Amino acid sequence: MIAIRSNRRAAIAYLLALTFAGALASQVSAVSPAEVLLQGEASQKNTRRPVLDEDRRSRDDRAAMVRTQIASRGVRNEAVLATMGRVPRHEFVPTDQLRAAYEDGPLPIGHGQTISQPYIVAYMTEILRLEPGDRVLEIGTGSGYQAAILAELTKEVVSIEIIKPLAQAAAKRLEGLGYRNVTVLHGDGYFGMESAAPYDAIVVTAAATHVPPPLVAQLKPGGRMAIPVGETAWTQNLLLIEKDKDSKLTTRNLIPVRFVPLTRER
Ligand code: SAH
């Protein structure tokens, strides 16, 4: 297994962008009606403008996504809602999917894989009942989006991806976005990552035919695991498995879901 380190969000660049957007907005609203004829030329000269508009639009799109897709379906955890409203999902989708970045569904990310639907990411995160000090294992890094959400809410995230180019791209993306508490690994997540175990929470974002025993073993007493399980693409259920302080397991079947399959290294 290869470790590709990544890191945590530095908010400074984002704050600067917001401050600058605010300054520009006040300049624009100060323009008198007599100057409207010059608008075409002025906007052509202003090369920064589209970037700022994009930034503001993606914030608005995220707010709408949280309201209409996530909160409206019953996700209540404030920290989860705030994080979903903050993490730039458009940074995790391929360029040709940018326009759909905040839509209500999964999107292709190449190699036959997908970035999950925003609601499913939020729901799976909520049911894990994460605490800021938690250490989390994710199986199926994909785009790195779910890993970023987890990294915002916890102390440390270990994420394993079986398709090497996806693992590499996600690690680079997470690093570029400033996440310092994520480790991306290339390998078969069925076996988890024994050397960093046990974990407070485990989330599997690909559908397994059964719950992998190594993952159960790597869950801390008191830990929670969210995993889609099903024989086919049409009959999967999201399970929440809890290990109590005496290591006794409880499994709850929450909702029907549809994930790409958990594949195995040969
Ligand atoms: N969490 C991802 C969604 C990924 S889709 C995101 O936020 O974008 C599921 C991913 O699981 C795919 O990238 C797939 O390649 C990966 N996967 C499938 N089987 C795996 C396995 N055995 N170990 C690790 N990753 C696996």
Side-chain angles (χ1 to χ4, degrees), residues 218-263:
Q218 290 172 29
L219 197 59
K220 233 180 228 177
R224 293 82 55 201
M225 167 156 52
I227 178 170
V229 175
E231 287 297 329
T232 72
W234 310 102
T235 58
Q236 302 166 5
N237 289 297
L238 183 62
L239 306 185
L240 179 66
I241 300 170
E242 302 189 54
K243 192 185 258 189
D244 74 11
K245 58 181 191 328
D246 304 316
S247 292
K248 194 166 105 12
L249 298 173
T250 316
T251 300
R252 275 194 289 156
N253 185 337
L254 297 179
I255 51 169
V257 285
R258 193 183 302 167
F259 280 84
V260 296
L262 187 80
T263 55

Side-chain angles (χ1 to χ4, degrees), residues 29-84:
S29 60
V31 170
S32 72
E35 289 170 350
V36 166
L37 288 174
L38 298 173
Q39 199 171 40
E41 195 193 339
S43 63
Q44 266 172 29
K45 277 184 191 164
N46 193 344
T47 54
R48 287 195 201 90
R49 191 68 199 286
V51 176
L52 292 172
D53 280 347
E54 182 53 49
D55 189 51
R56 196 174 308 159
R57 204 180 62 207
S58 68
R59 264 187 299 143
D60 292 348
D61 288 352
R62 274 197 298 283
M65 172 188 88
V66 169
R67 214 174 40 247
T68 65
Q69 303 171 25
I70 301 173
S72 64
R73 290 189 176 115
V75 173
R76 291 279 170 267
N77 184 300
E78 285 298 332
V80 173
L81 294 175
T83 305
M84 295 296 297

Side-chain angles (χ1 to χ4, degrees), residues 33-224:
E35 289 170 350
V36 166
L37 288 174
L38 298 173
Q39 199 171 40
E41 195 193 339
S43 63
Q44 266 172 29
K45 277 184 191 164
N46 193 344
T47 54
R48 287 195 201 90
R49 191 68 199 286
V51 176
L52 292 172
D53 280 347
E54 182 53 49
D55 189 51
R56 196 174 308 159
R57 204 180 62 207
S58 68
R59 264 187 299 143
D60 292 348
D61 288 352
R62 274 197 298 283
M65 172 188 88
V66 169
R67 214 174 40 247
T68 65
Q69 303 171 25
I70 301 173
S72 64
R73 290 189 176 115
V75 173
R76 291 279 170 267
N77 184 300
E78 285 298 332
V80 173
L81 294 175
T83 305
M84 295 296 297
R86 196 163 59 231
V87 174
R89 192 172 193 262
H90 64 275
E91 298 281 0
F92 294 84
V93 304
T95 317
D96 62 355
Q97 297 293 335
L98 267 180
R99 286 165 154 275
Y102 295 100
E103 284 178 7
D104 191 13
L107 292 171
I109 57 170
H111 303 273
Q113 306 305 321
T114 55
I115 175 174
S116 306
Q117 180 188 20
Y119 165 66
I120 289 294
V121 173
Y123 181 70
M124 285 178 95
T125 306
E126 178 171 70
I127 63 175
L128 291 174
R129 301 194 308 271
L130 300 171
E131 297 289 339
D134 281 356
R135 296 179 58 260
V136 186
L137 174 68
E138 179 193 26
I139 308 306
T141 315
S143 67
Y145 179 64
Q146 172 82 72
I149 299 287
L150 298 169
E152 295 263 347
L153 291 164
T154 64
K155 190 168 136 220
E156 195 187 341
V157 178
V158 174
S159 184
I160 307 175
E161 170 57 52
I162 201 164
I163 299 177
K164 195 171 182 181
L166 287 179
Q168 288 169 326
K172 201 170 151 203
R173 184 176 295 127
L174 289 163
E175 184 167 35
L177 288 168
Y179 291 92
R180 293 187 197 289
N181 56 340
V182 184
T183 301
V184 177
L185 302 151
H186 169 233
D188 185 350
Y190 182 93
F191 301 102
M193 181 65 185
E194 178 68 49
S195 63
Y199 305 94
D200 299 284
I202 298 178
V203 57
V204 183
T205 65
T209 55
H210 60 274
V211 180
L215 298 184
V216 176
Q218 290 172 29
L219 197 59
K220 233 180 228 177
R224 293 82 55 201

